[in-house]
Amino acid sequence: MPNQRLHTNNRMSQIVINRGTVYLAGQVADDLSAGIEQQTRETLAAIEALLAEAGSDKRHILSVTIYLKDIDAHFAGMNAVWDQWLPEGVAPARATVEAKLCEPEILVELSVVAALPE
């Protein structure tokens, strides 16, 4: 089966599905005036919606890369929301880095790789 690309433009796809694996483009919040907790909640909601569209869910996340604007200021707040969102026993491989993001108001961006349920 060829790979599937959803929400594609000339630069990127929001979802790529290939051989039972779902790759999501980096996701950010809609309300960039919000603090780290709200931006994290909105970003995780966007991830849930895209995973559902792809036929997967947060229980099947394999890997996450988290980009924070200021790791010292935002790591604890992001983790507080993350810890409430993620079901127990399904923690993915994860990396968190500080990064200069594409817009100064973005505090957090997440890139996700998930499996399709068998």
Side-chain angles (χ1 to χ4, degrees), residues 10-11 22 45-48 59 72 95 97 99 107:
N10 62 337
R11 184 169 292 153
V22 178
I47 288 166
E48 278 196 82
R59 293 182 175 279
D72 293 329
V97 297
L107 304 179

Side-chain angles (χ1 to χ4, degrees), residues 35-37 40 44 64-84 94-99 107-110:
I36 187 62
E37 291 86 357
T40 302
L44 294 173
V64 177
T65 304
I66 301 168
Y67 304 94
L68 292 174
K69 178 179 180 176
D70 183 335
I71 202 162
D72 293 329
H74 301 136
F75 189 69
M78 178 276 302
N79 270 328
V81 175
W82 172 267
D83 291 345
Q84 291 177 349
R94 188 180 112 163
T96 305
V97 297
E98 183 173 284
L107 304 179
V108 60
E109 180 174 345
L110 284 87

Side-chain angles (χ1 to χ4, degrees), residues 15 22 24-28 40-54 56-58 61 64-65 82 85 109-114:
I15 303 169
V22 178
L24 300 184
Q27 298 299 307
V28 300
T40 302
R41 278 190 285 278
E42 289 184 15
T43 302
L44 294 173
I47 288 166
E48 278 196 82
L50 290 171
L51 287 174
E53 184 176 352
S56 190
D57 60 49
K58 63 186 173 183
I61 295 175
V64 177
T65 304
W82 172 267
W85 178 77
E109 180 174 345
L110 284 87
S111 179
V112 171
V113 177

Side-chain angles (χ1 to χ4, degrees), residues 4 9 11 16 28 30 32 45 55 73 79 81 86 88 94 103 105 107-108 117:
Q4 184 178 11
N9 62 34
R11 184 169 292 153
V16 175
V28 300
D30 288 326
L32 299 183
N79 270 328
V81 175
L86 190 68
E88 189 173 332
R94 188 180 112 163
E103 293 182 33
E105 301 83 10
L107 304 179
V108 60

